[in-house]
Every structure is written in structure tokens, then in C-alpha cells.
Amino acid sequence: MSPWPSSRVQTVAKPDDTIMVMCRSGGRSAIAVNMLAKAGFKNVFQIIDGMEGDPVKEPDGVFLGQRLKNGWKNSGCPWTYKLTPDRMLLSKQLA
């Protein structure tokens, strides 16, 4: 297991803090939750279905392939594409 996720999270959270993890569709966040739990974080939760949810799979529909099913933004929760750099924690390789 890579030390990156837990060591980076330790810079902003303690093992007893509540941490909510989300990715685009839910797959990577599930892996991250498991890694953080193994690293000793006790209150880690995945936001299921991710930010954008699942793609529409009805082949005859006009929305085929668009991520319009479930997910954070499709359930009416607040979201934006506008980034807030001072609230972001990036890998040193990405910064």
C-alpha cells in the first residue's frame, strides 16, 4: 500500500476526525476509504455514486453515455466546476 494517501491526509486530519471521500463515480473513493481505514482513520465514509454518478445506458435515449443517473450533483446537492485552490490538497507531482 502506498503511503501517499494516509500521509497526505494526516496533514489535515486526525485519526478520529470524520472524513468523507468522493470521486467521479464511486470506484476510486471506495479504494481510498479502505486504504485510510487500514492506515488507522476510524471515521471514513464514502459518498456513494460519486460526484457525477453513473452514465445513462439506454441505447435509444438522447442522453446515452451522459452521467445523469444518481451521484451528488444529480441528487440536488450543491456543486460547481469552479475550483478553490486554497482548499485543495494536491500531490506534489501535480502541484
Side-chain angles (χ1 to χ4, degrees):
M1 174 174 62
S2 166
W4 183 85
S6 62
S7 63
R8 294 287 286 178
V9 174
Q10 287 169 347
T11 66
V12 295
K14 296 176 180 65
D16 290 327
D17 287 349
T18 299
I19 300 171
M20 300 176 76
V21 182
M22 179 172 26
C23 66
R24 183 198 64 199
S25 55
R28 289 172 298 246
S29 59
I31 294 167
V33 164
N34 289 335
M35 291 175 75
L36 290 166
K38 286 180 185 177
F41 290 92
K42 297 178 177 77
N43 300 308
V44 185
F45 302 92
Q46 176 196 21
I47 300 175
I48 60 169
D49 300 324
M51 173 60 82
E52 297 196 4
D54 295 324
V56 174
K57 294 182 180 177
E58 289 77 26
D60 296 331
V62 295
F63 299 111
L64 177 65
Q66 295 182 32
R67 293 188 173 277
L68 298 174
K69 296 177 78 175
N70 58 43
W72 180 273
K73 74 176 189 176
N74 297 316
S75 66
C77 294
W79 67 279
T80 181
Y81 284 118
K82 183 179 177 183
L83 301 177
T84 310
D86 62 326
R87 300 178 88 187
M88 297 168 61
L89 181 63
L90 297 175
S91 165
K92 291 179 184 179
Q93 294 141 346
L94 298 175

